[in-house]
Amino acid sequence: VAKARAADGDEAGAMAADAGTLWADHGEDGQVRTADPDAKYIGVYDSAALADVVAEIREAGQCSMDVETTGLDPMQCHLCGVSIAVRPGQAWYIPTRSPEPETHLDEHAVLDGLRPVLEDASIIKIAHNAKFDLNVLRSAGVHVRGQVCDTMIASYVADATRSSHRMDALALGELGLHCIPISSLIGTGKQQRSFDTVALEKAVPYAAEDADITLRLWDVLSSAVEAVGLSELLMNMELPLMGVLADMEFAGVAIDPDELDHQRLVLSR
């Protein structure tokens, strides 16, 4: 039996969702609430469930994706899991690191399962700030191929005057949804933890929601780009350039420390 468990809210969560608010509740049960009471966010814990997700991706011909990690440096952090969505209102989170490693697949098994679709150039991928996701996955040994659509770039092309192109801000402005803040799961400042310490009952709805929101945003923002007549700019220049920048960031820059020190001395005279 495929171990795919849904993270469903209770009546209180549904009432909160009616107000269009999405946040991590700090009440007695400590459950993470979602703004969309009809959304279904599912944890994927074994090979059978993972195979079902891969089949869904192939049937849809596209998917939104998001990675959760232990940090913000794609070259140094560790992968905690991958979230996937192929239709609005439903998404999966496939953990690779958690406080409960015995309950789910390890990184090797997860990436081996996802690699055929992520490296399939015929399948469209959608992400927010895709450079990060691409380089995290590449560091883990998966080379994402094919068209990669980026909602952050689409937002900028549609309206460069926005005060913020962050996913949370776009979700609130375009979808009327206030996303679960990461700080409610891992804290802030000196007390901040890494995502691999978050219990799966909270990690699943948070991470899966990111993929769901990204998919919904792409539908809205790509239409907004088309409305201002900039679809060709987005698809033929901005998105391909994102891939080039991801390659550059992954390759890095070679530094000659002796020459750098010499230039420092020259400039200090």
Side-chain angles (χ1 to χ4, degrees):
V1 178
K3 290 168 63 181
R5 301 195 296 269
D8 297 322
D10 58 14
E11 183 178 357
M15 291 175 63
D18 290 339
T21 304
L22 187 64
W23 79 94
D25 182 84
H26 293 284
E28 293 182 1
D29 63 0
Q31 291 295 312
V32 173
R33 312 295 187 196
T34 58
D36 184 352
D38 298 320
K40 188 175 184 181
Y41 299 140
I42 304 167
V44 176
Y45 301 105
D46 66 19
S47 297
L50 179 56
D52 289 344
V53 173
V54 169
E56 292 263 15
I57 295 171
R58 288 204 178 279
E59 182 178 354
Q62 70 172 23
C63 69
S64 62
M65 63 179 190
D66 184 64
V67 298
E68 299 302 335
T69 64
T70 57
L72 299 178
D73 184 341
M75 308 301 292
Q76 301 293 331
C77 65
H78 297 291
L79 182 68
C80 294
V82 181
S83 51
I84 298 287
V86 299
R87 64 183 66 87
Q90 178 178 338
W92 301 274
Y93 178 57
I94 313 157
T96 60
R97 281 181 175 81
S98 79
E100 309 147 66
E102 71 284 352
T103 66
H104 59 77
L105 300 170
D106 61 19
E107 180 177 312
H108 179 78
V110 170
L111 294 181
D112 276 356
L114 290 174
R115 182 176 286 105
V117 286
L118 294 182
E119 294 188 348
D120 186 338
S122 69
I123 296 175
I124 298 170
K125 290 82 179 178
I126 304 165
H128 189 83
N129 187 22
K131 285 198 291 96
F132 181 81
D133 302 83
L134 295 181
N135 282 340
V136 167
L137 289 169
R138 181 156 28 179
S139 294
V142 175
H143 298 262
V144 177
R145 294 186 172 90
Q147 176 68 61
V148 178
C149 302
D150 191 324
T151 50
M152 186 171 71
I153 295 174
S155 171
Y156 187 84
V157 172
D159 184 1
T161 66
R162 290 183 194 271
S163 59
S164 174
H165 300 279
R166 295 175 61 251
M167 189 187 73
D168 289 1
L170 293 174
L172 184 60
E174 298 293 339
L175 305 175
L177 299 176
H178 184 190
C179 292
I180 305 166
I182 184 62
S183 59
S184 67
L185 275 67
I186 64 172
T188 59
K190 293 182 179 180
Q191 303 301 317
Q192 183 170 310
R193 303 175 293 145
S194 56
F195 198 81
D196 57 338
T197 67
V198 178
L200 289 175
E201 65 177 350
K202 293 184 178 181
V204 168
Y206 169 83
E209 181 180 81
D210 280 357
D212 179 24
I213 293 297
T214 297
L215 186 66
R216 299 191 201 198
L217 282 174
W218 177 252
D219 289 341
V220 172
L221 294 172
S222 59
S223 296
V225 170
E226 184 176 2
V228 294
L230 294 177
S231 293
E232 185 174 349
L233 173 68
L234 174 65
M235 303 305 294
N236 296 334
M237 181 175 293
E238 296 292 350
L239 293 180
L241 178 59
M242 177 272 297
V244 172
L245 294 175
D247 290 343
M248 291 173 62
E249 290 183 10
F250 189 83
V253 179
I255 300 293
D256 183 337
D258 293 334
E259 177 59 27
L260 192 64
D261 192 54
H262 171 70
Q263 291 186 22
R264 179 185 63 80
L265 293 173
V266 171
L267 292 172
S268 66
R269 293 172 183 169

